[in-house]
Amino acid sequence: MKYLATTLLLAVLLLTGCNQPETERTEWALALHGGAGTISKDIPDTLKQQYYDGLRQALRTGEIILREGGSALDAVEYVVRNLEDNPLFNAGKGAVFTAEGKHELDAAIMDGSTLGAGALTGLTTVKNPISLARIVMEESPHIFFSGVGAEEFANQTDVERVENDHFFTETRYQQWQRAQTGEANNYPKAAWTEGDYFGTVGAVALDINGNLAAATSTGGMTNKQFGRVGDVPIIGSGTYANHVAAISATGWGEQIMRNVSATTIANYMEFNGASLDEAIDFVLTQRLNPGDAGFIAVDAYGNISMKMNTAGMYRGSIDSNGNRVVMIWEDE
Ligand code: ASP
């Protein structure tokens, strides 16, 4: 009798799952960044306001999609498109100048539920590189196109095209001029500490179906040499999503690449049972050097982490529990 009662109790517990309390999942969550680096606190109030407004507007774009049951993929694509169109950020319009005085754009998108990915480097005429990256992911047998081939791929789609000078802004032009003279010639460290690089954009999301996605877009680093490829379009370095987490990086691309940073964060969680915060801390403190980078990430439970070892990172996040933040510096 006693044996029967115990067996019945165990069966009930197993069936209801009561013996395994699950960590509760936030319905949906979204984080974005607009670049990390040496962001001076002395920037004029009006400019500060423009940055906050830009971040809020992009968050709102993603919020509408996720709140209405849209996919994480749609959310990250449209948030990044919004930031690409904002001239304050180093992606799409507002991209930095190459050493040759042009704009060459990199972008990548990844679907954590399928490990599908699309990436491009060296684009010169595509207005919104992130949308072309999504087409690469969904319509091509390949993952990554570069330069002439990337433009050729774009010719076979109906993505909007522009002249290269569409991406021009006076601020980026001045930064390029500075990078070509004096101390800043010590590429890239000097101009990096001057604060002339930041502005890459990225987004990560978890949707109500539990799918994760990540997207990143950039003009790269000011004064970069011919054909330089940064971390952003390298799947696993600047952009990564799987069943554990979605991550988008910003910062000194060569350093982020060397440490395959985004994948290392996801793997550190999976292999060590670490939290998202712990995994990002590991990469920021044990793999990268102070001043190198920042990450935004969301895990399968909707936990959000936005951390950097730089003075600032334009960033924001929102989730279905009503948490909403927009920040620039560390101590906000
Ligand atoms: N990571 C980008 C690159 O190296 C630059 C940035 O995030 O500011 O291309």
Side-chain angles (χ1 to χ4, degrees), residues 115-298:
L115 297 185
L120 298 142
T121 185
L123 287 175
T124 52
T125 66
V126 174
K127 181 169 168 279
N128 291 105
I130 202 64
S131 292
L132 187 63
R134 180 146 180 201
I135 297 174
V136 171
M137 180 179 87
E138 290 178 343
E139 294 176 19
S140 140
H142 306 301
I143 287 182
F144 196 2
F145 288 95
S146 73
V148 176
E151 291 287 322
E152 187 59 43
F153 180 82
N155 291 343
Q156 295 171 16
T157 73
D158 58 5
V159 293
E160 191 174 345
R161 309 298 279 278
V162 289
E163 294 295 324
N164 194 247
D165 61 11
H166 159 82
F167 304 111
F168 174 95
T169 53
E170 184 59 30
T171 315
R172 297 297 180 194
Y173 180 76
Q174 294 304 332
Q175 289 174 353
W176 175 53
Q177 293 295 297
R178 274 201 293 281
Q180 288 202 311
T181 54
E183 253 241 295
N185 249 336
N186 169 19
Y187 177 87
K189 201 64 191 176
W192 180 250
T193 32
E194 289 292 308
D196 277 355
Y197 285 130
F198 50 75
T200 288
V201 308
V204 292
L206 169 75
D207 63 31
I208 59 167
N209 294 314
N211 297 325
L212 291 159
T216 321
S217 182
T218 188
M221 293 178 80
T222 302
N223 216 27
K224 64 183 182 183
Q225 286 194 328
F226 38 80
R228 181 263 189 187
V229 182
D231 59 299
V232 167
I234 311 266
I235 296 302
S237 282
T239 310
Y240 193 68
N242 64 5
H243 61 292
V244 176
I247 303 116
S248 171
T250 171
W252 188 353
E254 280 71 10
Q255 287 291 89
I256 296 168
M257 264 190 272
R258 253 176 215 119
N259 292 287
V260 205
S261 301
T263 309
T264 301
I265 291 169
N267 286 349
Y268 193 83
M269 291 177 73
E270 186 172 0
F271 302 159
N272 295 337
S275 70
L276 190 62
D277 277 341
E278 287 164 349
I280 294 184
D281 279 340
F282 169 77
V283 171
L284 284 173
T285 63
Q286 308 300 308
R287 289 289 179 265
L288 298 171
N289 297 321
D292 278 350
F295 300 96
I296 55 158
V298 59

Side-chain angles (χ1 to χ4, degrees), residues 1-10:
M1 190 63 191
K2 198 173 156 202
Y3 171 76
L4 186 67
T6 314
T7 313
L8 272 172
L9 182 66
L10 271 175

Side-chain angles (χ1 to χ4, degrees), residues 29 41 60 63 111 113 144 151 190 259 276 294 319 321:
K41 284 201 164 172
R60 182 91 188 111
E63 178 187 1
D111 179 350
S113 62
F144 196 2
E151 291 287 322
N259 292 287
L276 190 62
D319 68 22
N321 297 328

